[in-house]
Amino acid sequence: MRSETAIRALGALAQEHRLAAFRLLVEAGPTGLAAGALAERLAIAPSSLSFHLAQLANAGLVAQVRQGRSIIYTADFAAMGALVGYLTENCCEGASCSSAVAMPAACC
Amino acid sequence: MRSETAIRALGALAQEHRLAAFRLLVEAGPTGLAAGALAERLAIAPSSLSFHLAQLANAGLVAQVRQGRSIIYTADFAAMGALVGYLTENCCEGASCSSAVAMPAACC
DNA sequence: TCGATATTTCAACAAATATCGAATCAAGGG
DNA sequence: CCCTTGATTCGATATTTGTTGAAATATCGA
């Protein structure tokens, strides 16, 4: 992953509503959620949500597909994994730096 | 880690110069780097760097200690690990979502 | 085709962010 | 005590970001 890509992904997640939206999509799994359902759960205006979803999509963190009148958004787990991988490799000395627990060498 | 903390950390890393600075500090390890050395390597004005380092410090990603006339910055690996952990737990369905490789269940 | 529903796009604006140069502060060396 | 060096703080300014309401687009059912 290029650092420019990582910056876009980090920026996309670095906002209250977008992080919350993405977490809801992760929770929803492959089924995803319609834009309207997200707006309702997040209690923000539909146009605001559109703005945020566009940023998440631009960063490649979510995918969208029209289903009837609704547009269903799903989290892109591969993209998220790539981001975590980038952070681990470039910002953690290549080790899984999650503090307490010791990790087997081949892991992460 | 609270989501507010995660947002601050994500926002701190979501900028070209700050991400580059943090990577240099990771590379430098526990020894760290002086502010001046960072500014020179990043080719930005000292005052700009101060602004960015303040954000990284506010997010808890770097620590600073005065050493003579210089101020030495070091990456906080525990904070970075906590961020990676947060993303893995909350945004990857608790699994290490790093795409290709299959991970043992107890891992990550 | 018409109307209702689901979303996005647009325009306008307030707020936050990034940048720089000048001024300020801290620590040493003469 | 002065002067130099390393770094931060302060203004000023340009850019980006987030929010909203109104208008436009797409789909479906009657």
Side-chain angles (χ1 to χ4, degrees):
Chain A
M1 173 184 268
R2 288 183 316 154
S3 72
E4 189 196 325
T5 311
I7 288 173
R8 265 214 299 274
L10 289 166
L13 294 173
Q15 208 275 342
E16 180 188 352
H17 296 321
R18 287 197 294 270
L19 182 58
F22 188 77
R23 289 181 64 177
L24 284 173
L25 291 179
V26 167
E27 194 188 331
T31 309
L33 283 173
L38 277 173
E40 191 180 3
R41 293 231 222 162
L42 297 172
I44 62 178
S47 57
S48 287
L49 181 65
S50 259
F51 170 79
H52 291 307
L53 287 175
Q55 304 225 3
L56 286 169
N58 177 255
L61 289 168
V62 303
Q64 53 193 314
V65 60
R66 176 172 284 276
Q67 188 172 316
R69 264 173 290 202
S70 299
I71 296 186
I72 308 294
Y73 283 85
T74 52
D76 186 324
F77 289 88
M80 191 62 197
L83 177 60
V84 169
Y86 177 91
L87 292 179
T88 302
E89 286 172 31
N90 292 279
C91 303
C92 292
E93 291 183 316
S96 171
C97 49
S98 53
S99 56
V101 193
M103 293 295 185
C107 184
C108 308
Chain B
M1 175 183 269
R2 290 183 313 155
S3 72
E4 190 196 323
T5 310
I7 289 172
R8 265 215 299 273
L10 290 165
L13 294 173
Q15 208 277 343
E16 181 188 351
H17 296 321
R18 287 197 295 268
L19 183 58
F22 188 77
R23 290 180 63 178
L24 284 174
L25 291 179
V26 167
E27 195 189 331
T31 309
L33 283 174
L38 278 172
E40 192 180 3
R41 293 231 222 162
L42 297 172
I44 61 178
S47 58
S48 290
L49 180 65
S50 261
F51 170 79
H52 291 307
L53 287 175
Q55 304 225 5
L56 286 168
N58 177 255
L61 288 168
V62 302
Q64 53 193 313
V65 60
R66 177 173 282 277
Q67 188 172 318
R69 266 174 286 205
S70 299
I71 296 186
I72 308 294
Y73 283 85
T74 52
D76 186 323
F77 290 88
M80 192 62 196
L83 176 61
V84 170
Y86 177 92
L87 293 178
T88 303
E89 285 172 30
N90 293 278
C91 303
C92 292
E93 290 181 319
S96 170
C97 50
S98 53
S99 57
V101 193
M103 291 295 183
C107 185
C108 308

